[in-house]
Amino acid sequence: MDLLYTSTRNSQGGVTASQAILTGLAPDGGLYVPERIPKLTIPEKALMNMTYQETAYEVMKLFFTDFTEGELKNCIQKAYDSKFDTEEIVPVKKTNDAYYLELFHGPTIAFKDMALSILPHLMICSAKKNQADKEIVILTATSGDTGKAALSGFAGVAGTRIIVFYPKDGVSPIQKQQMVTQEGANTLVVGIEGNFDQAQTGVKQMFSDQALAQELAAKGFQFSSANSINIGRLIPQVVYYVYAYARMMAQGELSEKEAFHVVVPTGNFGNILAAKYAKEMGIPIGKLICASNENKVLYDFFRTGNYDKNREFILTSSPSMDILVSSNLERLIFEMTGRDDSRDRKLMETLSSQGSYQITPEMKERISDFYGNYASEEETASTIKELYRREGYVLDPHTAVAACVYEKYKNESQDGTKAVIASTASPYKFTRSVMTAIDSSYDCKTDFELVDELEKLSGVEVPQGIEEIRRAEVRHKTTCQVEEMPEVVKGFLGI
Ligand SMILES: *Cc1c(COP(=O)(O)O)cnc(C)c1O
């Protein structure tokens, strides 16, 4: 019997994993959730001896039950290979007071690679299984990290094309250079005269444009999304929490079944939800510590039970967490209602009409294993500086938000349980924020000069992903107005 996926807004019916991966969002606007979370039954001893790829197979086979062993192993093998700069794929780095799970050793040096390196392969395989004969066209709007990770994942994958829109003046110089130098005949990168929200809205309009969809279909194309609400992105993220537990036992840092907390710098709520799924599979995770930056909607929500996006949007040094509507939270809301689709739908309707909703005390009770807090910009910078001073270990600003929130948790709770901090980006991706946090006099240097300074200071070699773009040829020079986005897409597809 296959494990089926139903929409958070309609529990009737159910689709297979491959269908859910192919469609992304459910037709009613809800998110696909598995009917139940499967239990991991492998003994700890066996788990400890597994490679990342083997662990990935054991976890994913329980969720993606309509994939054959061969198909799944093939996807895993293509995703987690020498694109990662370490054989371990995700090393666990121990410091004096926490364990950093380094999720940034992939090609674009941010944790999005963990899921976006496998999603294209899962998607192609899903298309074959469902006799979808059209070429898949991935459309993405990005504020920086997702775009490059999606480009890198889909570049050169037969049967797919990828088009990324980014705000022309709204990403960091390194992020921009990463995207405009992207190789691969099936890739297109376009700068928008506008901000991220406008790019995002433009993409959403194309997704819901029926006439455009028909025009595409007639020429053998269909749109799909690499957005973080796709279940094909969420499940691969469960793997590294299982792997972290196994590695820590293997290294003698945890005993069997010993509980540990996880701390996750959060934006769209995908990464921390994956940790919750790992916990439900049977991994002894204690608290799920949700760290926000100054856009602290989630902190307020965990405290008061009121989700309220009616507030100022703040630009911070951790841009991938500058989010007021955390899409994946809906999957947790659905659980909190006791898997009641009509209540979930009503809450989401209230969110879109009023920008806020209130959960009941009974619902709040169901998420008592979550703890939320936030770090201000000053606290984030001083966390980077302090850890560097004490241990020589350099954090990126997103991870620093998590480290700071973990300190706050410990001070409040006096809880000495060990904790794994999800380290979501390499400091090399945000060199300016990182270096000026350590010493403000660095601010006069260029971004690539700062790369070299960071290497001297941290002793960590400049990652391949940065070396490559330093002198790479700019291949994507297209820019356009927001209204021109559909024309640009059609031009690229030759229709
Ligand atoms: C996307 C991202 C996050 C936020 O992850 P979510 O799954 O959206 O909560 C945190 N840090 C970095 C560096 C990211 O790229």
Side-chain angles (χ1 to χ4, degrees):
M1 274 291 281
D2 275 330
L3 178 68
L4 294 182
Y5 290 77
T6 56
S7 165
T8 46
R9 299 186 197 178
N10 178 2
S11 304
Q12 297 301 307
V15 299
T16 60
S18 66
Q19 287 164 341
I21 289 169
L22 208 52
T23 11
L25 204 64
D28 53 41
L31 274 56
Y32 283 117
V33 283
E35 291 170 309
R36 60 187 161 73
I37 305 290
K39 292 276 179 241
L40 192 70
T41 53
I42 314 163
E44 265 79 358
K45 291 263 178 317
L47 209 55
M48 273 187 250
N49 289 318
M50 284 183 190
T51 62
Y52 191 83
Q53 294 81 352
E54 288 164 348
T55 313
Y57 175 69
E58 291 302 327
V59 172
M60 287 190 215
K61 77 172 187 195
L62 300 174
F63 284 97
F64 299 155
T65 57
D66 68 327
F67 286 68
T68 65
E69 177 173 350
E71 287 168 342
L72 212 45
K73 286 189 170 166
N74 183 41
C75 291
I76 290 168
Q77 198 192 342
K78 283 182 171 149
Y80 306 113
D81 61 6
S82 58
K83 288 194 286 300
F84 285 77
D85 68 9
T86 158
E87 237 171 79
E88 290 171 281
I89 307 294
V90 287
V92 182
K93 174 96 190 174
K94 183 180 179 182
T95 65
N96 264 330
D97 39 31
Y99 298 84
Y100 287 86
L101 182 63
E102 294 189 346
L103 302 172
F104 55 76
H105 289 270
T108 78
I109 62 176
F111 101 100
K112 303 280 190 299
D113 287 328
M114 298 311 303
L116 280 166
S117 54
I118 193 164
L119 182 70
H121 305 293
L122 293 172
M123 214 175 243
I124 285 295
C125 191
S126 299
K128 286 200 190 111
K129 289 174 131 3
N130 293 283
Q131 283 89 40
D133 53 356
K134 299 197 172 49
E135 189 166 348
I136 296 169
V137 181
I138 301 291
L139 285 189
T140 306
T142 185
S143 57
D145 281 346
T146 303
K148 178 62 186 184
L151 283 164
S152 162
F154 281 92
V157 175
T160 70
R161 302 217 195 174
I162 173 157
I163 307 174
V164 170
F165 295 96
Y166 70 95
K168 197 169 125 281
D169 304 311
V171 300
S172 84
I174 289 188
Q175 287 176 321
K176 180 168 177 173
Q177 182 72 1
Q178 276 190 314
M179 288 191 280
V180 298
T181 56
Q182 179 64 47
E183 294 183 9
N186 67 334
T187 66
L188 179 68
V189 178
V190 186
I192 292 293
E193 307 283 352
N195 61 26
F196 169 66
D197 270 341
Q198 291 170 295
Q200 171 104 308
T201 307
V203 165
K204 282 191 181 152
Q205 276 168 1
M206 282 190 273
F207 273 122
S208 56
D209 184 339
Q210 290 307 320
L212 183 61
Q214 278 173 13
E215 226 176 311
L216 248 68
K219 300 282 180 183
F221 296 108
Q222 75 175 87
F223 282 144
S224 192
S225 161
N227 200 289
S228 83
I229 44 89
N230 194 312
I231 197 78
R233 274 187 66 179
L234 186 62
I235 303 303
Q237 296 181 359
V238 177
V239 175
Y240 47 74
Y241 292 106
V242 176
Y243 186 67
Y245 171 54
R247 293 318 307 147
M248 285 172 67
M249 282 188 298
Q251 292 163 10
E253 303 291 347
L254 281 179
S255 49
E256 281 185 32
K257 310 251 190 300
E258 181 179 344
F260 62 100
H261 301 325
V262 298
V263 191
V264 186
T266 297
N268 236 338
F269 210 76
N271 201 359
I272 195 165
L273 186 69
K276 171 77 172 165
Y277 279 23
K279 179 173 181 173
E280 295 200 359
M281 289 186 87
I283 302 302
I285 293 172
K287 289 277 179 203
L288 297 141
I289 300 177
C290 175
S292 301
N293 64 24
E294 289 181 359
N295 295 292
K296 58 183 181 57
V297 189
L298 288 165
Y299 163 66
D300 294 337
F301 173 67
F302 284 120
R303 216 165 31 102
T304 64
N306 185 245
Y307 193 95
D308 187 359
K309 68 155 188 156
N310 299 313
R311 61 180 76 203
E312 191 195 345
F313 180 88
I314 303 167
L315 289 172
T316 72
S317 58
S318 46
S320 299
M321 296 156 67
D322 290 345
I323 287 179
L324 295 181
V325 179
S326 301
S327 327
N328 270 296
L329 184 66
E330 183 173 346
R331 290 188 163 110
L332 186 67
I333 296 286
F334 178 68
E335 293 303 323
M336 278 187 241
T337 62
R339 302 179 74 89
D340 180 339
D341 53 356
S342 67
R343 277 178 74 194
D344 177 277
R345 195 168 58 237
K346 284 200 190 83
L347 288 169
M348 293 306 131
E349 278 165 11
T350 318
L351 178 64
S352 70
S353 62
Q354 285 157 35
S356 70
Y357 58 81
Q358 175 76 43
I359 61 168
T360 63
E362 177 205 0
M363 283 172 71
K364 197 156 176 285
E365 186 56 35
R366 287 208 170 99
I367 50 163
S368 55
D369 53 351
F370 280 85
Y371 166 90
N373 214 323
Y374 75 103
S376 69
E377 285 293 274
E378 295 73 42
E379 288 170 330
T380 305
S382 68
T383 301
I384 294 173
K385 183 173 182 167
E386 265 309 295
L387 188 62
Y388 170 67
R389 198 186 54 79
R390 285 203 323 268
E391 309 201 25
Y393 187 54
V394 183
L395 300 179
D396 96 285
H398 302 77
T399 311
V401 166
C404 174
V405 163
Y406 177 52
E407 278 305 311
K408 290 187 180 182
Y409 170 77
K410 271 196 304 190
N411 289 337
E412 270 174 31
S413 65
Q414 302 296 317
D415 174 359
T417 307
K418 288 170 187 150
V420 169
I421 297 180
S423 186
T424 52
S426 157
Y428 279 101
K429 196 152 191 178
F430 300 96
T431 38
R432 184 163 304 275
S433 305
V434 169
M435 295 302 282
T436 53
I438 292 172
D439 183 343
S440 60
S441 69
Y442 282 116
D443 207 21
C444 61
K445 297 194 185 281
T446 68
D447 284 70
F448 280 104
E449 283 169 351
L450 289 174
V451 164
D452 295 325
E453 294 296 332
L454 177 54
E455 182 171 42
K456 283 187 223 154
L457 185 131
S458 65
V460 175
E461 212 183 312
V462 178
Q464 193 58 28
I466 294 288
E467 278 306 344
E468 274 169 7
I469 62 167
R470 215 191 263 258
R471 283 167 208 93
E473 179 201 350
V474 172
R475 301 184 66 259
H476 301 272
K477 295 179 183 154
T478 313
T479 59
C480 78
Q481 304 291 332
V482 176
E483 314 78 70
E484 295 166 337
M485 289 167 66
E487 286 313 311
V488 169
V489 169
K490 285 199 248 175
F492 180 59
L493 301 178
I495 55 180

